[in-house]
């Protein structure tokens, strides 16, 4: 057999051996059938310490590691807080200035402080960690480590011993103390100082103490106490809040109020730890369903089951359509359902999308680049999956974000501002002319719904159907809102004294100025679209683009006329949106979040009343009146609530978008066998090009091999004859 033939046979054998599994699999073949959920991240999380983290990509990890007292119901809408570490959702007790109890319906001005008593469920335990390890005498093993002790240690898993203990009320109190830690800079410290009694004073005490403790030494936060926060017993603690602040219950669902034990804080504060990235910011320690076992932000991060998690039943109720969607099949079964969650680094959209189509990621969003490949919009405007996606068994889920994007008027401005009827009609005319539905269709691929008011769907106070429309901008026609006509807008403009776009007082064209930060791809198209919207009612629009800092400065000074902004909810309460138009939140006067600088005595009075009320018919009536005022005054020229589109493969179940809950990994289930089978089908190697290449290679080198063999034989003959 010739050498060339032997080489070809060896290559063919290697090809056939490789056919057992896809060649392009980014994961080890040995893990093909494991109960793992595969997803991705695009940039390194900066903070994994729950007292500092306040970013979505960080919450994707820590919300599944930590157990704050509350969480949001996975399936129900409007969003509803339910217990997580707590036994029940705490109801505040109200007291007057003399410390006398008040009834539950006490008016806000009567309430001097509110007390929340939180009872923690027994049996909740922390993940295994060396901070809890104890020696034979019961003392903590790793509290006085030297540099020599840390030699070769790169992660908590490198310590030979670990331990655990039950979660206690004192751990929740210790985390509240950490909000005031002068070296941590919690993003909510300032806000909580206003509400939690004694927290600001405690912060000053700790700051004074920190000046006497070297930066590399542990700061013992238990040397002082917060007057408004007390441990009642092993599983109960109290928080005293100034005044009446019903929204505080939503903060108890955030990682900021998760338990952090003093042992962990002390463990990580030892000299040499931070230099090795051994910190709570890098290796979190929680009592939730998962724990971080791999932290390699340049490649992969992995969550694995916490072996000490006692379990939690899957919800047995939701919205009416959830049962038909199969979202209640696992009702009552213990969670979590997957053993591990693998987050792989993907900086570019195209490789990520290709891996999703190949089955190497279980779910995906939809970028603008591949929207047309995935979505087909029907004649009625409904988004549907393309045939190719449906054939692959991919499902589509849509949800409205708890966000509001809006065009604001500067109510301090001499032309568009003020509370005169002339200014109102001008603002309403512009609100009709700027066709938000058209914007959503052109620039958002249909991913949004035009707003009827500040409150997005899913939040209490948002009304569905005809009862919820802005009647100054829309009519209700054939069971749906329809934007009023351009003729109507022109009529309002004429009544305001700007017929044909000419100011009747000056005889000059009315020019409107729009400030924005529009830059990059698509910026000119959006700017041109806005100009055309104003041209429809004969108004001239001048776009003024600046960088973000300059734009913010204009808003602070009240120097912008029209502008574009957005707001993402921190918690699911109408107060979190209505405060964007509350007078004392005025940007120019008070440096608040009311960038429109809107002020209405009636609206402000209703807001102050509404924010202290519990959800119910009485609160809804107040909200309805607030919306009537906003519709009449038109401080915003409309806007939209973004819509999120999410895709998932057929082997993934129990997925329902929840825009406020971040601890959703425990609910999801995968079918590893189905995934492995389909991956093999979708990623079969195409071998004929390789075979053809081998034949071409063989054909190319065959003459050279024959020539070489002839020369060898000739040389051998010559050598024999020479003898």
């Amino acid at each position: 057999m010739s050498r060339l033939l032997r080489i070809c046979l060896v290559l063919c054998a290697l090809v056939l051996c490789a056919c057992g599994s896809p060649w392009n699999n980014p994961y080890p073949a040995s893990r093909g059938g494991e109960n793992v959920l595969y997803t991705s991240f695009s940039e390194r999380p900066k903070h994994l310490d729950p007292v500092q983290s306040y970013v979505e990509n960080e919450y994707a990890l820590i919300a599944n590691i930590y157990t704050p007292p509350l969480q949001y119901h996975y399936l129900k809408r409007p969003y509803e807080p339910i217990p997580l570490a707590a036994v029940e959702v705490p109801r505040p007790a109200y007291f007057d200035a003399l410390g006398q109890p008040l009834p539950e319906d006490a008016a806000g001005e009567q309430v001097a402080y509110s007390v929340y008593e939180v009872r923690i469920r027994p049996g909740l335990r922390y993940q295994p960690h060396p901070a809890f390890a104890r020696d034979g005498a019961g003392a903590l093993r790793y509290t006085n480590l030297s540099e020599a002790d840390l030699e070769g240690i790169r992660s908590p898993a490198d310590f030979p011993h670990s331990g655990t203990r039950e979660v206690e009320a004192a751990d929740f109190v210790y985390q509240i103390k950490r909000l005031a830690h002068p070296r941590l800079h919690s993003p909510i410290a300032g806000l909580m100082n206003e509400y939690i009694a004694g927290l600001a004073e405690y912060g000053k005490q700790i700051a004074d103490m920190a000046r006497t403790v070297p930066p590399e030494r542990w700061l013992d936060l238990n040397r002082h106490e917060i007057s408004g926060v007390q441990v009642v017993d092993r599983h109960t603690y109290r928080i005293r809040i100034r005044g009446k602040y019903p929204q505080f219950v939503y903060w108890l669902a955030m990682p900021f109020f998760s338990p952090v034990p003093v042992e962990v804080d002390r463990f990580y504060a030892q000299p040499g730890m931070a230099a090795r990235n051994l910190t709570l910011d890098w290796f979190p320690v929680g009592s939730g369903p998962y724990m971080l076992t791999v932290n390699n932000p340049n490649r992969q991060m992995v969550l694995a089951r916490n072996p000490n998690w006692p379990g939690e039943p899957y919800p047995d109720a939701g919205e009416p359509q959830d049962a038909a969607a199969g979202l209640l099949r696992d009702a009552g079964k213990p969670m979590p359902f997957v053993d591990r969650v693998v987050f792989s680094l993907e900086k570019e959209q195209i490789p990520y999308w290709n891996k999703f189509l190949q089955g190497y990621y279980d779910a995906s969003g939809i970028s603008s680049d591949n929207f047309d490949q995935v979505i087909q919009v029907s004649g009625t405007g409904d988004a549907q999956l393309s045939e190719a996606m449906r054939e692959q068994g991919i499902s589509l889920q849509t949800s409205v974000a708890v966000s509001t994007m809006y065009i604001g008027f500067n109510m301090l401005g001499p032309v568009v501002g003020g509370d005169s009827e002339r200014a109102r009609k001008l603002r309403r005319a512009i609100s009709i002319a700027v066709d938000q539905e058209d914007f959503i269709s052109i620039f958002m691929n249909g991913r949004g719904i035009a707003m009827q008011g500040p409150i997005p769907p899913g939040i209490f106070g948002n009304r569905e159907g005809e009862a919820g429309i802005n009647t100054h901008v829309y009519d209700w026609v054939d069971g749906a809102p329809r934007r009023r006509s351009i003729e109507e807008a022109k009529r309002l403009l004429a009544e305001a004294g700007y017929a044909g776009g000419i100011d009747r007082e000056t005889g000059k064209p009315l020019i409107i100025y729009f400030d924005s930060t529009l830059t990059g791809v698509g910026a000119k198209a959006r700017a041109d679209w806005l100009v055309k919207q104003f041209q429809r009612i004969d108004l001239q629009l001048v776009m003024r683009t600046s960088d973000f800092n300059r734009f913010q400065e204009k808003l602070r000074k009240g120097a912008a006329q029209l502008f574009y902004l957005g707001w993402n909810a921190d918690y699911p309460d109408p107060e979190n949106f209505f405060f964007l138009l509350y007078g004392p939140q005025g940007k120019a006067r008070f440096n608040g979040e009311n960038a429109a600088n809107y002020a209405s005595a009636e609206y402000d009075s209703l807001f102050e009343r509404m924010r202290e009320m519990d959800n119910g018919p009485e609160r809804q009536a107040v909200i309805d009146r607030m919306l009537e005022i906003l519709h009449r005054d038109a401080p915003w020229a409309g806007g939209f609530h973004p819509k999120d589109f999410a895709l998932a493969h057929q082997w993934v179940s129990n997925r329902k978008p929840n825009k406020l809950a971040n601890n959703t990994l425990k609910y999801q289930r995968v079918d590893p066998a189905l995934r492995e089978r389909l991956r093999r089908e979708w990623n079969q190697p195409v071998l004929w090009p390789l075979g053809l290449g081998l034949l071409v290679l063989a054909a190319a080198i065959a003459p050279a091999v024959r020539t070489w063999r002839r020369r060898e034989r000739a040389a051998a003959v010559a050598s024999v004859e020479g003898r």
Side-chain angles (χ1 to χ4, degrees):
M1 184 183 295
S2 71
R3 183 179 301 176
L4 176 60
L5 182 57
R6 286 196 298 269
I7 293 173
C8 290
L9 289 175
V10 169
L11 289 174
C12 289
L14 290 174
V15 168
L16 292 173
C17 290
C19 290
S21 62
W23 294 1
N24 59 342
N25 193 341
Y27 312 114
S30 58
R31 294 184 173 176
E34 291 184 352
N35 185 21
V36 178
L37 185 71
Y38 291 99
T39 184
S40 71
F41 67 102
S42 58
E43 58 181 328
R44 180 181 82 83
K46 185 177 180 181
H47 294 296
L48 296 179
D49 183 339
V51 86
Q52 298 185 80
S53 174
Y54 206 13
V55 180
E56 186 175 358
N57 72 316
E58 297 165 357
Y59 273 23
L61 293 163
I62 66 171
N64 296 284
I65 295 171
Y66 287 97
T67 52
L70 306 178
Q71 61 184 334
Y72 290 104
H73 197 287
Y74 184 52
L75 302 177
K76 289 183 179 180
R77 304 294 183 272
Y79 293 98
E80 176 186 325
I82 60 172
L84 180 55
V87 173
E88 60 188 0
V89 178
R91 292 191 63 83
Y94 300 124
F95 298 86
D96 64 17
L98 299 177
Q100 297 300 310
L102 295 169
E104 286 189 0
D105 59 352
E109 60 269 17
Q110 296 178 287
V111 179
Y113 59 92
S114 312
V115 173
Y116 290 80
E117 185 164 290
V118 184
R119 292 191 298 122
I120 302 304
R121 59 172 169 149
L124 202 60
R125 303 185 71 80
Y126 290 104
Q127 68 185 65
H129 195 272
F132 303 115
R134 295 184 179 273
D135 59 22
L140 292 171
R141 286 181 177 272
Y142 303 118
T143 53
N144 295 293
L145 299 175
S146 65
E147 280 290 338
D149 294 326
L150 293 176
E151 189 68 33
I153 300 292
R154 289 294 178 268
S155 84
D158 293 331
F159 288 90
H161 300 280
S162 67
T164 184
R165 71 164 172 82
E166 189 178 16
V167 176
E168 300 178 354
D171 303 332
F172 292 86
V173 172
Y174 192 78
Q175 170 71 343
I176 295 174
K177 290 180 176 180
R178 295 181 76 242
L179 293 174
H181 199 301
R183 299 171 187 168
L184 295 179
H185 310 293
S186 176
I188 68 164
L191 178 65
M192 290 301 115
N193 282 342
E194 297 177 19
Y195 287 109
I196 299 178
L199 183 61
E201 294 76 12
Y202 173 82
K204 293 176 183 177
Q205 292 176 314
I206 296 300
D208 291 339
M209 185 175 72
R211 296 187 186 97
T212 66
V213 178
E216 68 277 6
R217 295 292 176 183
W218 178 53
L219 200 61
D220 185 1
L221 302 183
N222 282 336
R223 289 177 57 185
H224 297 279
E225 299 300 326
I226 305 172
S227 62
V229 185
Q230 298 91 28
V231 174
V232 177
D233 57 41
R234 187 179 181 187
H235 294 110
T236 311
Y237 67 101
R238 290 196 192 107
I239 306 175
R240 190 171 64 198
I241 301 297
R242 293 189 183 93
K244 190 175 184 180
Y245 182 44
Q247 291 75 28
F248 182 71
V249 73
Y250 298 118
W251 289 100
L252 295 178
M254 296 187 186
F256 295 114
F257 288 88
S258 302
V260 170
V262 64
E263 299 97 320
V264 169
D265 195 41
R266 184 178 179 183
F267 173 84
Y268 280 133
Q270 297 178 87
M273 288 284 193
R276 293 169 169 80
N277 273 338
L278 293 170
T279 67
L280 204 60
D281 229 14
W282 196 266
F283 290 107
V285 182
S287 53
Y290 291 102
M291 57 185 187
L292 186 68
T293 56
V294 176
N295 186 353
N296 181 359
N298 295 317
R299 180 176 175 270
Q300 204 171 75
M301 305 183 80
V302 178
L303 295 179
R305 277 181 188 264
N306 172 8
N308 298 328
W309 173 248
E312 179 186 4
Y314 186 88
D316 58 4
E319 293 185 283
Q321 65 271 25
D322 288 341
L327 288 167
L328 294 176
R329 281 196 294 260
D330 284 321
K333 295 178 182 177
M335 302 183 293
F337 294 122
V338 298
D339 297 329
R340 289 190 305 129
V341 184
V342 175
F343 296 80
S344 298
L345 179 64
E346 291 288 356
K347 292 184 176 181
E348 301 296 333
Q349 176 62 33
I350 293 176
Y352 169 81
W353 176 246
N354 288 337
K355 289 177 186 176
F356 168 72
L357 293 181
Q358 293 165 339
Y360 296 123
Y361 289 125
D362 296 322
S364 173
I366 308 174
S367 71
S368 297
D369 293 337
N370 52 45
F371 188 87
D372 292 337
Q373 175 188 354
V374 178
I375 299 297
Q376 295 173 340
V377 180
S378 68
T380 59
D382 295 328
Q384 300 175 346
L385 277 175
S386 67
E387 184 178 351
M389 295 294 107
R390 293 196 302 271
E391 288 178 352
Q392 200 168 343
I394 293 172
S395 62
L396 169 69
Q397 288 182 315
T398 65
S399 62
V400 181
V402 285
S403 306
T404 295
M405 314 302 293
Y406 65 91
I407 295 174
F409 294 104
N410 178 14
M411 299 296 284
L412 300 178
V415 177
V416 300
D419 60 357
S420 69
E421 193 61 23
R422 184 187 194 200
R424 285 195 191 101
K425 288 184 175 180
L426 172 60
R427 293 194 295 267
R428 288 182 207 154
I430 293 173
S431 299
I432 294 171
V434 181
D435 190 338
Q436 297 294 334
E437 289 82 1
D438 190 55
F439 179 88
I440 293 166
S441 175
I442 295 173
F443 299 104
M444 302 293 296
N445 296 118
R447 288 181 283 185
I449 60 171
M451 65 179 285
Q452 303 295 335
I455 310 173
I459 305 294
F460 180 84
N462 177 279
R463 282 194 182 274
E464 299 287 337
E466 185 175 5
I469 69 168
N470 180 351
T471 56
H472 291 278
V473 178
Y474 290 89
D475 292 315
W476 188 256
V477 180
D478 296 330
R482 185 172 69 186
R483 183 172 292 272
R484 287 176 177 254
S485 67
I486 287 298
E487 287 70 27
E488 171 78 0
K490 287 182 176 180
R491 181 183 63 79
L492 287 169
L493 199 63
E495 292 176 2
Y498 301 107
I502 304 299
D503 187 341
R504 70 184 174 202
E505 295 182 357
T506 65
K508 297 179 179 179
L510 177 61
I511 300 176
I512 303 295
Y513 296 92
F514 195 108
D515 285 279
S516 77
T517 58
L518 286 173
T519 56
V521 178
K524 185 178 185 305
R526 294 189 179 207
D528 290 345
W529 179 88
L530 274 169
V531 170
K532 289 178 181 177
Q533 301 303 296
F534 281 76
Q535 286 175 347
R536 297 199 302 159
I537 54 173
D538 304 317
L539 290 182
Q540 297 182 37
L541 182 69
V542 175
M543 299 294 298
R544 299 190 297 198
T545 303
S546 56
D547 62 33
F548 183 75
N549 291 333
R550 173 63 178 148
F551 175 71
Q552 289 292 323
E553 183 182 0
K554 284 184 177 183
L555 294 181
R556 284 193 296 270
K557 293 181 176 179
Q561 193 175 44
L562 267 77
F563 55 87
Y564 182 76
L565 278 180
W567 182 259
N568 297 317
D570 295 305
Y571 45 83
D573 193 87
E575 179 267 349
N576 199 229
F577 291 92
F578 277 131
F579 93 108
L580 297 171
L581 291 159
Y582 179 49
Q585 277 284 331
K587 177 75 74 174
R589 292 172 179 162
F590 308 106
N591 198 30
E593 296 296 338
N594 178 0
N597 299 299
Y598 175 66
S600 161
E602 183 184 5
Y603 176 88
D604 290 348
S605 175
L606 290 169
F607 174 83
E608 290 163 4
R609 181 183 169 196
M610 180 276 305
R611 69 180 173 184
E612 296 172 349
M613 299 173 73
D614 293 326
N615 291 343
E618 187 178 355
R619 194 184 199 205
Q620 183 67 63
V622 174
I623 289 171
D624 291 343
R625 177 56 189 157
M626 294 174 71
L627 289 170
E628 288 176 8
I629 296 169
L630 294 179
H631 293 164
R632 178 199 69 200
D633 291 347
W636 291 354
F640 66 95
H641 308 296
K643 236 181 186 180
D644 294 330
F645 284 32
L647 304 173
H649 283 294
Q650 57 190 286
W651 55 77
V652 186
S653 57
N654 295 346
R655 282 179 58 86
K656 180 175 180 177
N658 189 312
K659 306 310 296 181
L660 285 169
N662 295 284
N663 62 337
T664 59
L665 295 176
K666 61 187 177 184
Y667 301 96
Q668 298 181 53
R669 181 189 288 279
V670 297
D671 182 341
L674 176 61
R675 177 173 58 193
E676 182 67 11
R677 178 174 66 78
L678 292 176
R679 278 182 180 176
R680 291 176 181 273
E681 290 179 8
W682 297 343
N683 296 280
Q684 286 296 317
V686 181
L687 301 179
W688 68 262
L690 181 59
L692 180 61
L694 289 173
L695 291 175
V696 171
L697 176 63
I701 65 174
V705 171
R706 286 196 295 270
T707 301
W708 173 78
R709 294 186 65 183
R710 281 198 300 269
R711 289 177 179 173
E712 287 292 303
R713 285 196 295 270
V717 170
S719 174
V720 171
E721 291 177 349
R723 291 177 186 173

